[in-house]
Amino acid sequence: MNDTVDKLVVFLAKRDGIDKLVKTFQYVSKLVNYQVEVSNPDIASRAKKWEVAAGLSRKAFRTGRFLTGFNAIRRAPGSSKTFQVLAVLANAGEMVYFFFDHFLWLSRIEVLDPKLARRMSFISAFGESFGYIFFIIADLILIREGVRKQKNILMEKPSDTEEEVKKLRIDRTMRLMGVAANVADLIIAVADIEPNPFCNHAVTLGISGLVSAWAGWYRNWPS
């Protein structure tokens, strides 16, 4: 599959693909709003509406997504006890995040009491940050193991290892993208849990959102 349009069609056919595209819209519009808020209030207002609409759309797209975490826990993933524990903790956090995100969405569009939004946002963000911490730990451990494995391969049989080393490098790159996305999303979650000048600044949120979105583009883009 060498045609870019073919790859884009496949990418956008995935739920994660369309989510990353709309996430890009959401955080680009946040940065635009911040940049022109004083100089051009009309454009800032339009950008803010785009940001809000994109955020609500993403929540709608994620309906039922909590089942992914539930299924991962049910299948008891992991090659060792350590990774099984990390996977359960990470997916449990993500499951809480996506489950309560449903109620956050419904309260934001006023199907449920809008007063519930703040509470649902806190619970959802807490589950999200909890899960991301363990996803990050698992990826860092696997990156370290991959580096060690690559060194051993090159020391023991330096010839005829190009394909194996290439696979390890690709896996490491994907995991680094995952770490980048999870750290960026963790910053966004902390902004909901414990508002502070750094995490809640429009530039911090905008850049974090785009880092997460573009890392997702890279990981989900068809090869």
Side-chain angles (χ1 to χ4, degrees):
M1 187 188 298
N2 296 319
D3 188 276
T4 302
V5 176
D6 285 341
K7 291 182 178 181
L8 183 60
V9 168
V10 172
F11 176 78
L12 294 178
K14 303 175 183 177
R15 172 151 56 174
D16 280 345
I18 196 70
D19 179 68
K20 301 314 173 192
L21 175 63
V22 179
K23 190 171 189 176
T24 301
F25 294 156
Q26 179 182 358
Y27 287 98
V28 166
S29 59
K30 176 179 279 293
L31 290 173
V32 170
N33 173 61
Y34 172 76
Q35 184 66 29
V36 301
E37 191 172 12
V38 176
S39 61
N40 199 323
D42 181 55
I43 292 178
S45 176
R46 295 182 187 186
K48 184 63 179 178
K49 289 176 181 176
W50 194 13
E51 177 196 345
V52 172
L56 290 174
S57 297
R58 290 183 60 226
K59 293 184 186 307
F61 295 149
R62 295 198 293 254
T63 300
R65 180 72 180 272
F66 73 95
L67 291 171
T68 302
F70 172 74
N71 203 40
I73 293 172
R74 189 170 66 96
R75 296 295 182 184
S79 56
S80 67
K81 194 68 176 178
T82 298
F83 284 111
Q84 287 174 5
V85 171
L86 287 172
V88 167
L89 292 172
N91 284 289
E94 187 177 66
M95 186 171 64
V96 169
Y97 161 42
F98 285 124
F99 182 76
F100 283 94
D101 205 44
H102 293 62
F103 299 105
L104 173 58
W105 170 52
L106 291 173
S107 59
R108 287 267 172 86
I109 62 175
E110 299 187 8
V111 171
L112 297 178
D113 186 347
K115 293 179 182 178
L116 290 172
R118 180 60 201 144
R119 185 179 301 173
M120 296 301 103
S121 178
F122 179 87
I123 297 172
S124 177
F126 185 85
E128 179 183 18
S129 59
F130 181 87
Y132 285 148
I133 288 170
F134 293 103
F135 277 126
I136 291 167
I137 291 171
D139 274 334
L140 290 176
I141 293 173
L142 288 169
I143 288 169
R144 184 183 64 181
E145 289 183 356
V147 170
R148 288 177 177 174
K149 186 175 181 181
Q150 182 177 323
K151 287 180 179 178
N152 290 336
I153 289 171
L154 293 173
M155 287 175 61
E156 293 173 6
K157 44 177 184 177
S159 60
D160 197 29
T161 59
E162 185 177 345
E163 191 63 31
E164 198 169 354
V165 169
K166 183 181 178 181
K167 288 180 181 178
L168 289 171
R169 285 175 177 166
I170 291 172
D171 180 74
R172 184 160 63 247
T173 300
M174 289 298 185
R175 294 194 182 281
L176 285 170
M177 290 295 104
V179 170
N182 288 333
V183 169
D185 283 328
L186 181 59
I187 291 171
I188 296 170
V190 169
D192 271 338
I193 298 169
E194 189 64 41
N196 61 83
F198 175 74
C199 291
N200 290 78
H201 196 283
V203 173
T204 303
L205 291 173
I207 292 175
S208 297
L210 291 178
V211 167
S212 174
W214 293 341
W217 275 80
Y218 186 89
R219 296 177 75 194
N220 288 284
W221 189 258
S223 56

